[in-house]
Amino acid sequence: MAAEEWKPKIIGLLCNWCSYAGADLAGGGRIQYPPDVRVVRVMCTGRLDQLFVLKAFADGADGVLVSGCHFGDCHYLEGNFKGAKRMFMVKRLMKSIGLDDRRFRMTFVSASEGAKWATVITDVVKTVKELGPSPITEFSK
Amino acid sequence: MMAEKKKAGSKKMEAKKETPKQAAPVPKKAPATAAPASGKKEQTRIGVFICHCGTNIAGSMNIEAVQEYAKTIPNVGYVDNYKYMCSMPGQAVINKAIKDNKLTGVVVAACSPRLHEPTFRTATKEGGLNPFRFEMANIREQNSWVHMHDQEGSTEKAKDAIRIAVAKASLLQDLFPKAVPVEHAAMVVGAGVAGMQAALDLAAAGIKTYLIESQPSIGGRMSQLDKTFPTLDCSQCILTPKMVDVGRAANIELMTYSEVDAVEGYIGNFDVTIRKKARGVLSMPEAEAKGMVGGGCNGCGDCEAPCPVIKPNEFEVGMKPRKAIYISHPQVVPLLYTIDFDSCIKCGLCVTACGEKKAIDLEAKDEFVKVKVGTAILATGYDMFPVEKKTEWGYKKFENVISSLEFERLICASGPTSGHIIRPSDGETPKRVAFVLCAGSRDNTGNGKPYCSRFCCMYSLKHAHQIYEKIPGVQSYLFYMDIRSFGKMYEEFYYRIQDEGAKFIRGRVANILEDPATKNLHVYTDDTLLNRPVDMEVDLVVLAAAVQPKEDTDRTRKLFGVSCSMDGWLLEAHPKLNPCGTTTAGVFLAGVCQGPKDIPDTVASAEGAASAASIPIHMGEVELEPYFATCIEEKCAGCGMCVNLCPYSALALVEKEGRQVMEVTEAKCKGCGTCGGFCPGGAIWMNHFATPQIVAQIDAFLLGGEQ
């Protein structure tokens, strides 16, 4: 596979109030970043089952990004905290099954952090590109 | 369990669709009208409508390629594009296509759902579908605008976004918003000019309004000011009538020396707990309520004289003393003394002085009051930037360097010097005064504030005018970066001050040094217009300090679930389309708590917020988005984990058919989904964000259209 051509499949699971709004703000500000992340919006990262992340990896995602409000800033008081606890569990699980846990990231981007959103995406895409295609995709070929 | 869920996720879409549809008790409210969703199998036909948004979207991607691709996505029954989908003709396209093609769902690929979801939901409804059969694909804010120079990447991302949206739209159900009654009362937090104006407007509109102020008196920052620009109205003269009106208005329940302690509930039904701080002094109505005829504080001040504790008066920026029992200035509303219990030594001399009025209770404790309101306005104002942080200007180090707020008090007739401007070092009248603008504003050094504080230019011009009024032969120097005189009659005021003889020197002040012998100050800068260094000897320096969010802003905003912007000011829902609203429905912003504003803008924003806050109250009821959790009872094991997770106590275990199952109180549920994300049995169905819907989105992206 030509390394230049390969486009990673990355899914972003975003909360409506902070990170999705932050991503919209980056758009309003025309802050450019790589187009490799596809976004699914939920109301709160507390909504996210760890199985959603695992399902994405099982489906062949090269990277998964979960992004919510900063702690203490959750629109639903503490949903992000409860979501984050589950997500840290995913990280540990990934390590134990031999999937590089840098493929999964949880970040906290507020509605006013458009520039930070662009930085996060740029960095996630860079990291996943460095790691290459997911071993799950390779395995199931 | 994991295996079970995974299996459900990877099964054929049809299969996934069935489980929730049978189980979800959605059309509880209107089963008769929910024909498409109830039981009978319908053929899924999704209409995809792609918006060009002029060239906003079409300029960065190949719309034709996206449209051709959309036709190949499973379940898509119709595809169209239009230059402006949100326009009336654009909405008519959706409307007609729904009817002509018997669509079961609508996907609009356009801007952010945070912007136009309500518009297209309405269009979907007008086409004859339930408005919640609509899903938006964001191909502008999160695509064309951020990948402007990557046509191929942008086009591919748009295709995926539409495929993801179609997958969700295929599984969407009819939902019915829940209408809840709105309490015919409002609350305003903060009684500065913004809070007072908002409360007066609400009260005038016939709404019972609770006005909460943390200080002993209302009036806020504006009551500390001497004159206002550019009209040179006396600040107190235009403020006190409003203060008196607030005190008198029958619809306003004023709670001074009080703070919001807890907020529960949602738009229409906020339960607010207010902490009335121990004041130690009974008002006359309170005394009357206790049956003390003729008792209570009448503001005579007899208690103040014998009090042995002397403290700096915060209202006078510490330049005048007060006692432990005090009023901060003569025009306080309500006219009611307050004991500062942090300083009081409880000697009891005030109690004796008060005598028969028996207004003083040294053992007073904080009280908690609960009120119910439909909407709330935050008008919490601002703090001055601690300008001593900019050590190069010597504030709090050199006696004759003062802040702009200290200048306001010094020049005010009711201030510590009865309106005489003096040098703090020797009490002499200054003959040369320097005003340093942007003292902490427009400062990217990390030691100041990056934003413009917006009113310092204008009040510094006013200060320059005031010293010409009061001190014959004085010379003023304004050190500035730019003079921002943007308002009505502001530029004209600037010209007037120039004509009065003020000298303007363009350059940020590098440092200020004191001559130890005379206590005069040397102001050093570069005059960037004449391109030469400046060393100006003056008698007094006034720093036009920046403003910053109130110290307890974080606490306040977390109580109400309001976000803040990067610089800490409270964040509006949209700077242009909804400048008074917040992301929490029913909570609004007024005045400087949202960002620096001068008095006209503050009052205008307060009137805007009052109007916005009165709408739900006058409507009488509001519709809540029906994103409630529902329990799939046959899957629920009654473990009760969700009950503990819910931050709103919306869930409870109840006995049904001999076993424990979870039950949701819809009015309390805000739809965060924290329970649904956890439930190990997959027994919680989150309306509009159900597990099969989210899994379908993930699958649609990663496994392609053919599932």
Side-chain angles (χ1 to χ4, degrees), chain B residues 94-384:
Chain B
I94 299 172
N95 203 314
K96 185 169 181 299
I98 293 172
K99 289 172 183 150
D100 291 354
N101 300 281
K102 296 197 168 52
L103 299 179
T104 59
V106 171
V107 167
V108 174
C111 49
S112 170
R114 293 176 57 86
L115 199 63
H116 264 315
E117 192 173 59
T119 314
F120 294 120
R121 273 195 181 153
T122 310
T124 306
K125 192 177 173 185
E126 282 169 354
L129 278 178
N130 181 284
F132 293 90
R133 294 281 189 131
F134 165 76
E135 177 69 10
M136 203 147 179
N138 184 338
I139 60 167
R140 192 180 76 170
E141 279 85 345
Q142 297 185 22
N143 189 339
S144 67
W145 277 354
V146 287
H147 318 306
M148 295 175 93
H149 312 295
D150 185 353
Q151 173 109 1
E152 192 198 327
S154 186
T155 306
E156 289 309 309
K157 189 174 176 178
K159 290 177 184 174
D160 285 348
I162 292 171
R163 195 169 72 234
I164 291 169
V166 169
K168 179 160 179 185
S170 306
L171 297 180
L172 287 176
Q173 297 176 304
D174 289 359
L175 295 176
F176 302 90
K178 191 179 171 65
V180 293
V182 178
E183 187 71 24
H184 201 83
M187 185 172 66
V188 179
V189 185
V193 67
M196 291 195 299
Q197 184 65 50
L200 286 169
D201 284 10
L202 287 167
I207 296 163
K208 164 91 180 174
T209 305
Y210 300 93
L211 180 58
I212 318 296
E213 170 57 51
S214 65
Q215 297 301 310
S217 170
I218 61 172
R221 287 280 173 222
M222 189 174 163
S223 61
Q224 287 179 286
L225 309 181
D226 181 44
K227 298 283 189 294
T228 61
F229 58 79
T231 49
L232 300 173
D233 286 317
C234 158
S235 185
Q236 282 281 18
C237 308
I238 52 177
L239 190 68
T240 41
K242 276 198 199 298
M243 291 167 67
V244 172
D245 284 352
V246 166
R248 275 208 200 110
N251 271 337
I252 297 179
E253 186 164 337
L254 181 58
M255 294 184 180
T256 52
Y257 213 46
S258 301
E259 286 173 351
V260 175
D261 191 65
V263 182
E264 281 174 23
Y266 47 92
I267 180 170
N269 299 277
F270 289 110
D271 291 301
V272 185
T273 310
I274 296 156
R275 184 163 70 96
K276 296 181 92 170
K277 293 185 273 189
R279 185 166 210 149
V281 177
L282 282 179
S283 70
M284 289 199 279
E286 282 169 338
E288 206 177 304
K290 289 192 172 185
M292 296 157 57
V293 180
C297 179
N298 61 6
C300 66
D302 291 347
C303 53
E304 196 175 353
C307 178
V309 181
I310 295 176
K311 286 276 158 183
N313 186 346
E314 298 84 354
F315 184 84
E316 304 288 358
V317 206
M319 294 186 296
K320 206 173 172 178
R322 66 160 170 85
K323 298 295 184 66
I325 184 162
Y326 69 104
I327 54 169
S328 58
H329 62 107
Q331 283 139 312
V332 292
V333 172
L335 176 54
L336 184 58
Y337 274 75
T338 303
I339 298 175
D340 164 13
F341 278 109
D342 290 338
S343 315
C344 175
I345 54 170
K346 301 201 175 178
C347 63
L349 289 172
C350 55
V351 181
T352 318
C354 188
E356 281 310 296
K357 294 187 288 292
K358 290 188 178 147
I360 298 170
D361 174 10
L362 291 177
E363 300 309 317
K365 294 273 176 295
D366 290 1
E367 285 172 37
F368 293 86
V369 183
K370 276 185 188 263
V371 298
K372 199 174 178 76
V373 295
T375 55
I377 294 175
L378 303 182
T380 51
Y382 63 94
D383 281 338
M384 298 305 291

Side-chain angles (χ1 to χ4, degrees), chain B residues 29 154 156 286 385 523 568 583 604 639 688:
Chain B
K29 295 211 72 178
S154 186
E156 289 309 309
E286 282 169 338
F385 169 72
V523 181
T583 47
C639 69
H688 214 68

